[in-house]
C-alpha cells in the first residue's frame, strides 16, 4: 500500500532513481515491472475513489462532478499548446514502429472497429447492394467500410486515417490541432508504402482522404454544421444535410491530451448521423497504468517520449461513459441519446519490449477502447 501511495503522489514524475537505470538492463527491468503491476487487482481504482484518495476530482477541469455542467457547451479553444508542441516535435517519427507504440496498436484498434461495425452498423441491405453492384466494383462492395463517411479526431500522422480509407470508406476526414503532424500525414498518403488506393486507380472507386490541421474538433463542428444548415435551407431535400454527417467518428488516444474531454466528445456527437458510432480509446487512471504507461513506457523502455502522458489526465471507462451517455441532450449535438455498445482492454503481449497488442475484454486497467452508438431520434 505504501508503494502505491508513493506512485500516486509522484504521478506525473517518477522517482529520480528510475532515470539512471542502465540501458543494458532496461528490457529486464521493464519486463519485471510489467509483471509486478499486472498483479495489481483490477478493481483497485474503485477503492481509491471510494476512499477519496484520487487527485483527479480536485485537479481535473472536467471531473465527474462537473461533467454535466460542461457537456452542453462547445469549447472552441480546447487545445493545450504544450500538448500540441509535444506531438509536433514527434511528427517526423510518427510512422516509425520503433518510436511510436501506436503503430503496433493500430491493427487491434482496426479489429475492434470492424467487429463493432459488423455487429451494430452492417452494410446496406441485399437489395441496395444489388443496386450498388451496377455502379461499383465487386472489390469495393466487399470492403468492410464501403461507403462509410468517417471523421478521425486527433489523426496525428495518419496511421488510423489511412487504414480506414484502405477498408473502403468513401470519405475519411482527419483533423488535428497540430499542423506539423498533419503535414506528415499528407506526405505519407502519397508514399509508396501507404498502399492507399488512388481514386484514379479504379474507375468507380471514390475514396477520399481530407486532412485539416491547426483546428480543434469543436471548431470543425461549428463551421461544418453551419455550412450544412445552409445547404439544408437551400435544398428541397432534407437528406442532403443528413448525408454530410458521419457514420463513424474516432477519438483514439486523444482525450487524455486535451483540457476539456467532455467538450471534445460533445462536438463529436454533434457530427454523428443517427445510428452513427463513436469510438473512444484512452488510458485508465489506475496504479497499474502509472507503472506501465508512464514509468515503464517513458522512463525505462524509452518507447514513449518522456512527458507524453500525465496520470491525472487519464480516464476510466465509467467516467467517459458518463460524459458521452449521461449528459443532457441538446439540439447542438444533433439529438439522439448515446448508448455504450462495446468495451475492451488493449493489452501488451510478452515480450513487452516489442510493443505488440491484443484485445482483452476482461482487462481495462491500462489502455482501453469503447464504442457508443447514437440512437434514432
Amino acid at each position: 500500500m505504501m508503494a502505491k501511495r508513493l506512485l500516486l503522489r509522484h504521478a506525473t514524475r517518477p522517482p529520480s532513481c528510475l532515470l539512471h537505470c542502465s540501458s543494458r538492463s532496461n528490457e529486464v527491468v521493464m519486463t519485471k515491472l510489467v509483471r509486478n503491476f499486472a498483479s495489481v487487482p483490477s478493481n483497485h481504482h474503485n477503492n481509491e475513489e471510494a476512499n477519496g484518495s484520487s487527485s483527479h476530482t480536485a485537479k481535473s477541469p472536467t471531473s465527474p462532478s462537473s461533467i454535466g455542467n460542461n457537456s452542453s457547451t462547445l469549447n472552441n479553444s480546447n487545445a493545450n499548446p504544450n500538448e500540441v508542441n509535444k506531438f509536433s516535435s514527434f511528427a517526423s517519427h510518427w510512422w516509425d514502429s520503433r518510436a511510436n507504440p501506436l503503430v503496433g496498436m493500430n491493427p487491434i484498434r482496426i479489429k475492434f472497429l470492424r467487429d463493432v461495425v459488423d455487429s451494430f452498423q452492417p452494410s446496406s441491405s441485399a437489395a441496395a447492394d444489388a443496386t450498388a453492384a451496377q455502379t461499383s466494383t465487386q472489390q469495393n462492395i466487399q470492403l468492410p467500410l464501403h461507403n462509410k463517411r468517417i471523421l478521425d479526431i486527433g489523426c496525428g500522422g495518419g496511421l488510423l486515417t489511412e487504414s480506414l480509407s484502405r477498408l473502403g470508406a468513401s470519405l475519411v476526414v482527419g483533423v488535428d490541432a497540430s499542423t506539423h503532424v498533419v503535414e506528415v500525414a499528407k506526405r505519407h498518403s502519397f508514399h509508396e508504402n501507404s498502399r492507399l488506393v488512388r481514386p484514379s486507380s479504379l474507375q468507380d472507386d471514390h475514396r477520399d482522404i481530407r486532412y485539416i490541421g491547426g483546428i480543434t474538433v469543436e471548431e470543425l463542428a461549428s463551421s461544418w454544421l453551419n455550412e450544412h444548415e445552409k445547404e439544408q435551407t437551400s435544398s428541397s431535400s432534407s437528406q442532403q444535410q443528413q448525408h454530410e454527417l458521419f457514420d463513424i467518428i474516432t477519438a483514439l488516444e486523444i482525450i487524455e491530451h486535451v483540457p476539456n474531454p467532455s467538450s471534445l466528445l460533445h462536438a463529436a456527437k454533434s457530427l454523428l448521423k443517427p445510428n452513427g458510432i463513436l469510438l473512444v480509446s484512452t488510458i485508465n487512471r489506475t496504479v497499474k497504468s502509472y507503472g506501465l504507461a508512464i514509468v515503464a513506457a517513458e522512463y525505462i523502455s524509452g518507447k514513449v517520449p518522456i512527458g507524453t502522458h500525465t496520470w491525472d489526465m487519464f480516464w476510466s471507462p465509467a467516467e467517459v461513459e458518463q460524459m458521452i451517455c449521461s449528459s443532457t441532450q441538446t439540439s447542438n449535438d444533433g439529438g439522439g441519446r448515446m448508448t455504450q455498445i462495446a468495451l475492451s482492454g488493449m493489452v501488451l503481449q510478452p515480450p513487452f519490449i516489442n510493443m505488440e497488442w491484443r484485445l482483452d475484454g476482461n482487462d481495462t486497467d491500462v489502455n482501453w477502447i469503447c464504442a457508443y452508438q447514437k440512437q434514432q431520434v
Side-chain angles (χ1 to χ4, degrees), residues 30-98:
M30 182 181 177
T31 300
K32 290 181 178 179
L33 186 64
V34 168
R35 287 173 178 166
N36 288 338
F37 276 95
S39 65
V40 175
S42 61
N43 64 343
H44 88 92
H45 53 281
N46 295 329
N47 295 333
E48 168 197 312
E49 292 170 359
N51 293 332
S53 61
S54 171
S55 60
H56 194 276
T57 301
K59 294 183 179 180
S60 172
T62 52
S63 62
S65 61
S66 62
I67 286 173
N69 295 330
N70 295 327
S71 60
S72 61
T73 302
L74 297 185
N75 178 1
N76 287 350
S77 60
N78 191 21
N80 182 332
N82 292 332
E83 293 289 320
V84 174
N85 292 336
K86 181 192 307 179
F87 288 102
S88 294
S89 66
F90 183 69
S92 61
H93 302 288
W94 207 273
W95 286 85
D96 185 352
S97 60
R98 297 165 298 180

Side-chain angles (χ1 to χ4, degrees), residues 309-366:
H309 295 114
T310 301
W311 187 83
D312 282 348
M313 296 178 70
F314 293 170
W315 295 89
S316 71
E319 290 167 344
V320 175
E321 182 182 13
Q322 183 182 358
M323 282 188 266
I324 295 175
C325 302
S326 300
S327 60
T328 303
Q329 304 298 308
T330 70
S331 58
N332 290 335
D333 60 21
R337 187 166 295 278
M338 301 291 291
T339 303
Q340 180 177 304
I341 55 177
L343 171 65
S344 178
M346 297 186 290
V347 181
L348 272 174
Q349 298 189 94
F352 307 105
I353 204 73
N354 292 341
M355 290 291 168
E356 295 180 357
W357 302 79
R358 63 179 171 83
L359 294 172
D360 187 338
N362 296 318
D363 187 352
T364 59
D365 291 344
V366 187

Side-chain angles (χ1 to χ4, degrees), residues 238-254:
S238 62
Q239 293 300 309
Q240 185 173 356
Q241 162 77 7
Q242 179 69 12
H243 290 159
E244 294 300 322
L245 297 178
F246 294 94
D247 301 286
I248 300 168
I249 296 179
T250 61
L252 307 187
E253 283 70 52
I254 179 66

Side-chain angles (χ1 to χ4, degrees), residues 9-16 19 290 294 299:
R9 185 178 303 170
H10 300 282
T12 59
R13 182 174 182 178
S16 59
L19 304 181
Y290 170 74
I294 296 179
Y299 288 84

Side-chain angles (χ1 to χ4, degrees), residues 36-232:
N36 288 338
F37 276 95
S39 65
V40 175
S42 61
N43 64 343
H44 88 92
H45 53 281
N46 295 329
N47 295 333
E48 168 197 312
E49 292 170 359
N51 293 332
S53 61
S54 171
S55 60
H56 194 276
T57 301
K59 294 183 179 180
S60 172
T62 52
S63 62
S65 61
S66 62
I67 286 173
N69 295 330
N70 295 327
S71 60
S72 61
T73 302
L74 297 185
N75 178 1
N76 287 350
S77 60
N78 191 21
N80 182 332
N82 292 332
E83 293 289 320
V84 174
N85 292 336
K86 181 192 307 179
F87 288 102
S88 294
S89 66
F90 183 69
S92 61
H93 302 288
W94 207 273
W95 286 85
D96 185 352
S97 60
R98 297 165 298 180
N100 188 357
L102 296 182
V103 176
M105 182 186 286
N106 201 51
I108 65 166
R109 301 192 300 185
I110 290 295
K111 182 182 186 308
F112 181 86
L113 182 149
R114 290 186 59 176
D115 290 345
V116 168
V117 170
D118 288 344
S119 299
F120 296 94
Q121 198 185 73
S123 302
S124 54
S125 65
D129 283 346
T131 301
Q134 300 175 8
T135 58
S136 183
T137 66
Q138 187 65 30
Q139 178 184 0
N140 286 335
I141 293 175
Q142 293 175 346
L143 292 175
L145 299 180
H146 173 62
N147 245 5
K148 303 290 187 184
R149 297 172 57 86
I150 304 177
L151 173 63
D152 182 15
I153 301 171
C155 65
L159 282 172
L160 180 67
T161 319
E162 287 196 16
S163 296
L164 297 172
S165 181
R166 288 198 296 268
L167 290 172
S170 59
L171 171 67
V172 186
V173 176
V175 59
D176 200 286
S178 168
T179 56
H180 290 83
V181 295
V182 164
E183 286 304 313
V184 168
K186 289 178 179 178
R187 290 197 298 269
H188 194 272
S189 292
F190 294 96
H191 193 279
E192 60 181 2
N193 291 337
S194 72
R195 303 195 309 278
L196 284 177
V197 178
R198 304 291 183 269
S200 59
S201 62
L202 289 175
Q203 183 176 359
D204 297 317
D205 186 42
H206 301 290
R207 279 176 273 175
D208 185 20
I209 289 183
R210 302 177 194 172
Y211 286 112
I212 306 173
I215 188 173
T216 65
V217 68
E218 291 89 346
E219 293 167 326
L220 175 71
S222 178
S223 60
W224 193 280
L225 294 173
N226 283 338
E227 288 300 316
H228 294 316
E229 184 177 356
K230 294 177 184 178
E231 293 173 0
Q232 187 178 31

